[in-house]
Amino acid sequence: MSDVVNSENCEDYEVLLFGNHTCLVEKLKQDIEFALKKCANRIIELLVSKQSNQSLYVIKGDSRYDWQWFEEGKECKLLKLGTKEWQPGKVRIKVTLEFCPDEPEEVEVQEEEKIDEMDKVAKSLDDIRQKLNRENNS
């Protein structure tokens, strides 16, 4: 499987539950990728017909725009602000599947508490060092 659909906050081997149905994150990504590629022609045609956006005509202009944009990318050149030359490269379309937990994980809270505790210990140690330095310098 190519990485057309990326996932954030979840791994391919993890399982999602939607009502009474479960699926692997990897399988969902594969299905989304397949559907996007299969429908890319129709999606782009619809966008071009409803918009007067010239950027979409660039996508439509290629006879292989359905798969190429998702796989190897479309060759182009980029002119960055402040540069004098075009930089050759490719543009590739990617989709992100993101899992957003309702509540932060317990581990994160515990880690924050540990960091606060370590900060307190460090401040106490600094105080002790300062006192020792004052006593040694006296």
Side-chain angles (χ1 to χ4, degrees), residues 27 62 64 70 78 87 107 123 126 135:
K27 178 70 171 129
D62 191 335
R64 292 182 47 220
F70 292 99
L78 175 68
Q87 179 181 5
V107 175
K123 287 179 184 176
D126 285 341
E135 288 175 8

Side-chain angles (χ1 to χ4, degrees), residues 28-83:
L28 180 59
K29 287 169 50 178
Q30 289 172 346
D31 291 346
I32 291 171
E33 180 178 339
F34 177 78
L36 283 171
K37 288 178 178 179
K38 186 170 181 148
C39 297
N41 291 347
R42 286 183 278 151
I43 291 169
I44 292 169
E45 290 288 342
L46 179 66
L47 290 171
V48 169
S49 69
K50 288 193 171 204
Q51 304 271 333
S52 61
N53 189 339
Q54 293 295 323
S55 65
L56 295 174
Y57 287 101
V58 172
I59 295 172
K60 185 178 180 242
D62 191 335
S63 60
R64 292 182 47 220
Y65 56 85
D66 54 345
W67 290 88
Q68 187 179 18
W69 286 92
F70 292 99
E71 301 258 331
E72 66 267 12
K74 176 73 175 160
E75 290 201 25
C76 63
K77 292 181 180 178
L78 175 68
L79 182 61
K80 290 186 177 185
L81 186 63
T83 62

